[in-house]
């Protein structure tokens, strides 16, 4: 019981300290809004989270919803590409050797670098953003799926051999179930990256969403809303990670 | 005319320390319907031999043939039971067995496949555990599932790789009896090759026992550098059903036991006398050529 209270109180203390630090910083930097002013100016967005007053002047949940929708599409595209690639690389050492250098080079490229290429390729901002999200977020899925296939115990391969399972049956009944926990770890990491990429891509393309909002409010000098957007991005990212984490633990128990 | 025939098979593996010859020119002949046990110490290459016989791996030289045809890959009329059960943890007991039946008997309807799987699990006393996952089952029950999976496909040849090695003594004994019963009950004669490190187990179940003799120590390559060979098969002409209690006092069983133990320890003695670190001379003199089983 006391442990529970401590578990609840300590994080609250941490938050309080962070807010105090924020407040102190706002005293020193004149352009940084204080916590109180941020709340005052953001109230409307938080208390009416779903209202739509204009193209970019919308409730925070609505903005987050646009971003989430975009992330979901980019992320799904990313794992739809990443999962099969991961399986192929996991099964074939030759393919791994062939593509490993390319992967290592592509992996650290920032979303800011992919986005202009996407714009060149697709001409429009929306598909370019999806392209950037997909290309940046697929790597953890590729790598974890590959590792998962490699980690399948020899016993299971022996079962496949001894039962003379066809390639398709081996894939659906052995490789996929055995790899599933690894795949989900990959998905979780990929989703985290997709959410990181969204802000950059919205900022560059100016599409409505949390990131677009952030950039627009910076340009119109409403600095309190920058902080609102930052906190929203953090909270949504945290919730997403927790949800994926829950799905992951569910799968692990199988 | 022997049914399973291994002729001059050799197998070596690449290790960090270099090439390790596990088997060299090993030959073995097994008649149809015979139950043969290969007995040897841990690490003597028994499992390697079994995986070669079953077609799970291919020999470097020599051939394995079953019923006159040379095996390439696992045959569709054979089944293997592994020491560590090798059940798929994401499937229930029934699903594990069904997977084998579906793969081996595609000509049966879904309903028939299911019925076959259920019925085989019932035969090993698991009618209450059909829908349990392996991790919900005890070691003994898991091995029952694995045995059911092997028998469900009605194999001609059964390969058992230390099937009871991971079980406690009591469970082990029950399962040995169950296996003996399954082999007896089956309307068709199953040819069985079992790997074990227990002489008792071999005597309880087999028609013939083949001792597996580890190669002499080879100090140049570390322990067990030299390939293993097979000793002369020892027949066990005892009536069935046999029980452990009855075998403990049986004259013939005692003799067979003494025979097997002598064959295995003779090799140990050879190794000990050869423990001087003179690898080249030792390898030349004492690396025996495989004996043809009579």
């Amino acid at each position: 019981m006391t442990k529970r209270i401590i578990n609840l109180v300590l994080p609250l203390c941490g938050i309080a300290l962070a807010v105090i630090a924020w407040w102190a910083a706002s005293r020193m930097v004149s352009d940084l809004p204080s916590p109180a002013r941020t709340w005052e100016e953001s109230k409307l967005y938080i208390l009416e989270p779903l209202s739509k007053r204009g193209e970019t002047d919308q409730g925070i949940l609505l903005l987050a919803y646009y971003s989430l929708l975009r992330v979901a599409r980019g992320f799904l595209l990313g794992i739809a590409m990443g999962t099969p690639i991961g399986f192929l690389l996991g099964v074939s050492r030759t393919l791994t050797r062939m593509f490993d250098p390319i992967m290592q080079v592509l992996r650290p490229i920032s979303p800011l670098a992919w986005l202009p290429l996407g714009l060149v390729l697709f001409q429009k901002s929306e598909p370019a953003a999806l392209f950037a999200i997909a290309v940046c977020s697929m790597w953890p899925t590729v790598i974890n799926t590959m590792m998962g296939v490699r980690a399948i115990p020899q016993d299971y391969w022996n079962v496949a051999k001894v039962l003379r399972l066809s390639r398709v049956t081996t894939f659906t009944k052995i490789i996929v179930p055995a790899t599933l926990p690894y795949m989900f770890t990959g998905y979780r990491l990929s989703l985290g990256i997709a959410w990181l990429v969204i802000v950059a891509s919205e900022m560059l393309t100016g599409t409505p969403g949390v990131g677009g909002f952030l950039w627009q409010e910076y340009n119109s000098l409403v600095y309190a809303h920058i902080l609102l957007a930052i906190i929203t991005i953090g909270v949504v990212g945290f919730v997403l990670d927790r949800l994926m984490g829950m799905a992951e633990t569910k799968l692990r128990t199988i | 005319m022997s049914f399973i025939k291994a002729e001059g098979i050799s197998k070596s593996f690449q290790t960090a320390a270099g090439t390790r010859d596990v088997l060299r020119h090993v030959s073995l002949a097994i008649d149809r319907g015979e139950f043969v046990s290969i007995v040897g110490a841990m690490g003597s290459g028994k499992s390697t031999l079994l995986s070669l016989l079953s077609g799970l791996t291919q020999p470097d030289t020599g051939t394995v043939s079953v019923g006159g045809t040379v095996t390439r890959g696992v045959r569709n009329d054979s089944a293997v039971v592994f020491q560590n059960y090798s059940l798929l943890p994401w499937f229930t007991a029934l699903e594990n067995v069904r997977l084998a039946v579906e793969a081996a008997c595609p000509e049966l309807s879904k309903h028939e496949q299911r019925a076959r799987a259920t019925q085989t699990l019932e035969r090993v006393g698991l009618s209450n555990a059909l829908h349990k996952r392996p991790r919900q089952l005890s070691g003994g029950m898991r091995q029952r599932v694995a045995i059911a999976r092997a028998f469900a496909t009605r194999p001609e040849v059964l390969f058992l790789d230390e099937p009871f090695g991971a079980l406690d003594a009591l469970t082990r004994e029950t399962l040995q009896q169950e296996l003996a019963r399954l082999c007896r009950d089956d309307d068709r004669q199953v040819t069985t090759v079992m790997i074990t490190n227990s002489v008792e187990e071999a005597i309880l179940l087999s028609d013939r026992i083949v001792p597996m003799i580890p190669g002499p120590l080879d100090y140049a390559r570390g322990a067990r550098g030299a390939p293993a060979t097979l000793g002369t098969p020892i027949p066990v002409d005892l009536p069935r059903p046999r029980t452990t209690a009855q075998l403990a006092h049986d004259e013939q069983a005692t003799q067979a036991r003494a025979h097997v133990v002598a064959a295995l320890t003779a090799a140990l003695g050879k190794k000990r006398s050869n423990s001087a670190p003179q690898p080249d001379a030792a390898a030349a003199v004492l690396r025996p050529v495989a004996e043809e089983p009579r």
Side-chain angles (χ1 to χ4, degrees), chain A residues 102-119:
Chain A
I102 299 182
M103 252 169 55
Q104 300 304 336
V105 169
L106 292 183
R107 216 152 54 93
I109 296 175
S110 150
L112 295 169
W114 285 115
L115 199 68
L117 181 64
L119 286 169

Side-chain angles (χ1 to χ4, degrees), chain A:
Chain A
M1 190 60 206
T2 42
K3 210 167 182 185
R4 266 183 130 177
I5 292 169
I6 289 172
N7 279 346
L8 203 73
V9 168
L10 283 184
L12 287 177
C13 290
I15 292 170
L17 283 175
V19 172
I20 290 169
W22 172 9
W23 173 80
S26 73
R27 301 290 298 211
M28 285 183 275
V29 184
S30 57
D31 274 342
L32 182 70
S34 69
R37 223 183 101 209
T38 306
W39 167 250
E40 204 53 49
E41 290 185 23
S42 310
K43 221 165 46 179
L44 181 66
Y45 292 87
I46 298 169
L47 296 180
E48 292 177 40
L50 295 174
S51 67
K52 185 170 181 175
R53 290 173 293 273
E55 188 50 42
T56 47
D57 187 17
Q58 305 187 23
I60 200 69
L61 276 188
L62 212 53
L63 288 172
Y65 168 72
Y66 296 142
S67 294
L68 276 175
L69 212 61
R70 196 166 293 123
V71 159
R73 277 151 62 196
F75 166 70
L76 287 178
L77 193 64
I79 62 174
M81 294 195 295
T83 313
I85 295 176
F87 275 122
L88 284 175
L89 293 182
V91 172
S92 161
R93 294 261 166 196
T94 318
L95 284 178
T96 310
R97 258 184 240 137
M98 213 188 272
F99 290 109
D100 189 61
I102 299 182
M103 252 169 55
Q104 300 304 336
V105 169
L106 292 183
R107 216 152 54 93
I109 296 175
S110 150
L112 295 169
W114 285 115
L115 199 68
L117 181 64
L119 286 169
V120 171
L121 286 173
F122 303 105
Q123 309 292 330
K124 281 191 215 134
S125 64
E126 193 63 33
L130 294 186
F131 167 77
I133 296 170
V135 170
C136 288
S137 68
M138 68 185 229
W139 303 112
T141 298
V142 171
I143 289 165
N144 275 279
T145 308
M146 179 180 88
M147 291 297 183
V149 175
R150 296 244 178 95
I152 297 177
Q154 186 58 41
D155 291 354
Y156 298 164
W157 295 116
N158 283 347
V159 170
K161 264 188 177 175
V162 161
L163 301 185
R164 299 165 51 88
L165 301 182
S166 67
R167 272 166 184 269
V168 176
T169 315
T170 307
F171 182 72
T172 56
K173 307 256 167 157
I174 293 185
I175 299 180
V176 170
T179 316
L180 215 54
Y182 289 84
M183 256 159 66
F184 246 76
T185 306
Y187 290 172
R188 183 182 180 179
L189 296 172
S190 284
L191 186 60
I193 291 184
W195 186 244
L196 278 181
V197 175
I198 187 75
V199 179
S201 68
E202 282 180 359
M203 276 166 77
L204 281 180
T205 57
T207 37
V210 189
F213 174 72
L214 193 156
W215 192 243
Q216 180 217 313
E217 297 301 289
Y218 165 71
N219 284 326
S220 35
L221 308 174
V222 191
Y223 297 154
H225 290 169
I226 296 180
L227 294 167
L228 169 69
I230 288 178
I231 293 170
T232 310
I233 291 164
V235 170
V236 172
F238 170 74
V239 171
L240 282 181
D241 191 63
R242 272 300 154 96
L243 288 176
M244 284 304 271
M246 273 156 64
E248 208 182 328
T249 20
K250 258 233 158 99
L251 272 174
R252 286 228 180 269
T253 54
I254 291 176

Side-chain angles (χ1 to χ4, degrees), chain B residues 32-99:
Chain B
R32 187 184 278 274
E34 208 180 8
F35 193 124
V36 171
S37 290
I38 298 166
V39 185
M42 275 166 70
S44 56
K46 291 173 301 190
S47 287
T48 307
L49 177 59
L50 194 80
S51 77
L52 290 172
L53 291 176
S54 64
L56 208 54
T57 49
Q58 297 298 308
D60 298 336
T61 62
T63 54
V64 175
S65 58
V66 177
T69 52
V70 175
T71 49
R72 284 190 184 78
V74 180
R75 299 164 52 86
N76 57 1
D77 59 358
S78 67
V80 185
V81 176
F82 299 99
Q83 173 177 3
N84 46 11
Y85 327 125
S86 292
L87 300 174
L88 302 175
W90 44 85
F91 286 150
T92 62
L94 182 60
E95 285 166 341
N96 265 290
V97 178
R98 267 179 76 184
L99 183 64

